[in-house]
Amino acid sequence: MVFGAVLIWGLGWWVNVQLAKGSFADHRGVQLLVPAIFGVTLVLIWELLVRGLEVPLVILPAPSVIALRFGSSLDLLWADFSQTILKGALGGYVIGCSAALGVAVLVDRSEFLRRGLLPVGNFVAALPIVGTAPILVMWFGFDWQSKAAVVVVMVFFPMLVNAVAGLRETSALQRDLMQTYAASYGQSFFKLRLPAALPFIFNGLKISTTLALIGAIVAEFFGSPTVGMGFRISTSVGQLALDMVWAEIVVAALAGSAFYGLMSLIEKQATFWHPSQRRGRN
């Protein structure tokens, strides 16, 4: 089994090297194929080593065992996904990011807020989630609303810092030029400052996708109804059902990757003019 794992690793390495050196290395399909081959290689090695070394299920289940549990628990996984991601994480993400963008406009217009609120924001962002989550669960109850509140706290200040930095990205010369054209604040904001801030805003949105997912799942460890990804993970660990734990992890990884990819796709369409996006097309 160990020899087979080494052989598969070597084969996957050789295929990826050939693809990377080939004439189609910059083709979009090849760029997607290389990480796919790498991922499949790791999964195959994982399967061979776990079965070859006879690793107990409670230590590390094989991918095939996880896949069987995943396929036999689709209804349960969907219920957990709906409770944690669609309600808690997505609700908190929308509220937190929207509020942060609104506050960023106020901070950009007020030197007092910029000097006073941002340091407080850095302090709050450094608070551990294991300390704030139980408090918010007690305030907002055990349903998805408390998980959304935890997500709001987690995504608000990273989004705020990125948005404020983006709104201040324009140079003094550009702002003076808009004033020379007698542009109002609204015209200057929508035609100059907001477009310049979009790369920073999308950076905050992408960072917040992972924070929202983590916040919603961790918050469920401190109280939730009998459904949810965090609840299922904590109870499955107590039952030593590690295959179910890994099935929930797979759902979380797929949801997080899809959410991040969606934000990246929207960013490419909205900031096609930015140098980073133009370099991606060359």
Side-chain angles (χ1 to χ4, degrees):
M1 289 292 183
V2 176
F3 175 77
V6 173
L7 183 62
I8 289 175
W9 174 259
L11 180 61
W13 182 285
W14 180 83
V15 171
N16 272 350
V17 168
Q18 299 306 311
L19 290 173
K21 293 192 305 184
S23 57
F24 297 99
D26 295 330
H27 192 273
R28 182 64 177 170
V30 174
Q31 292 177 350
L32 294 174
L33 185 60
V34 169
I37 293 175
F38 184 79
V40 170
T41 301
L42 290 181
V43 170
L44 290 176
I45 292 174
W46 178 0
E47 178 79 23
L48 287 175
L49 290 180
V50 168
R51 292 196 176 277
L53 300 176
E54 298 182 352
V55 179
L57 177 66
V58 295
I59 301 297
L60 182 65
S64 58
V65 176
I66 299 171
L68 288 174
R69 169 64 77 164
F70 188 98
S72 62
S73 307
L74 289 178
D75 292 340
L76 192 61
L77 293 172
W78 173 252
D80 293 339
F81 174 83
S82 301
Q83 174 73 16
T84 303
I85 307 299
L86 298 184
K87 294 180 180 179
L90 189 58
Y93 178 86
V94 172
I95 296 171
C97 290
S98 301
L101 289 174
V103 174
V105 176
L106 299 177
V107 170
D108 181 62
R109 300 202 66 179
S110 170
E111 188 68 18
F112 171 74
L113 285 177
R114 187 177 69 84
R115 293 179 178 272
L117 183 60
L118 291 184
V120 175
N122 293 329
F123 172 78
V124 174
L127 293 176
I129 184 176
V130 293
T132 57
I135 297 173
L136 293 174
V137 168
M138 295 303 297
W139 285 358
F140 294 95
F142 293 98
D143 209 347
W144 65 269
Q145 291 88 347
S146 59
K147 286 66 184 177
V150 172
V151 172
V152 169
V153 172
M154 290 193 67
V155 306
F156 180 83
F157 288 105
M159 187 68 216
L160 176 64
V161 170
N162 278 277
V164 170
L167 291 173
R168 300 178 65 85
E169 175 67 9
T170 54
S171 65
L173 181 62
Q174 291 172 320
R175 294 192 293 270
D176 290 343
L177 181 61
M178 294 297 290
Q179 289 179 354
T180 345
Y181 292 152
S184 65
Y185 176 81
Q187 291 172 323
S188 176
F189 178 82
F190 286 106
K191 295 182 181 297
L192 174 65
R193 299 165 73 84
L194 183 59
L198 281 180
F200 291 83
I201 292 173
F202 276 106
N203 186 50
L205 289 172
K206 290 188 293 186
I207 292 173
S208 298
T209 57
T210 55
L211 292 176
L213 190 65
I214 294 170
I217 293 176
V218 172
E220 290 181 341
F221 280 80
F222 299 96
S224 68
T226 57
V227 66
M229 299 175 69
F231 168 80
R232 195 72 55 202
I233 290 173
S234 61
T235 55
S236 297
V237 167
Q239 299 167 352
L240 298 181
L242 270 295
D243 51 348
M244 189 65 191
V245 174
W246 278 96
E248 294 283 359
I249 292 174
V250 170
V251 173
L254 292 175
S257 300
F259 201 3
Y260 187 93
L262 177 61
M263 287 297 107
S264 298
L265 182 61
I266 297 174
E267 179 186 17
K268 287 183 179 180
Q269 300 301 317
T271 61
F272 60 90
W273 46 268
H274 196 262
S276 63
Q277 303 301 333
R278 292 202 300 268
R279 284 198 300 268
R281 288 185 170 91
N282 292 335

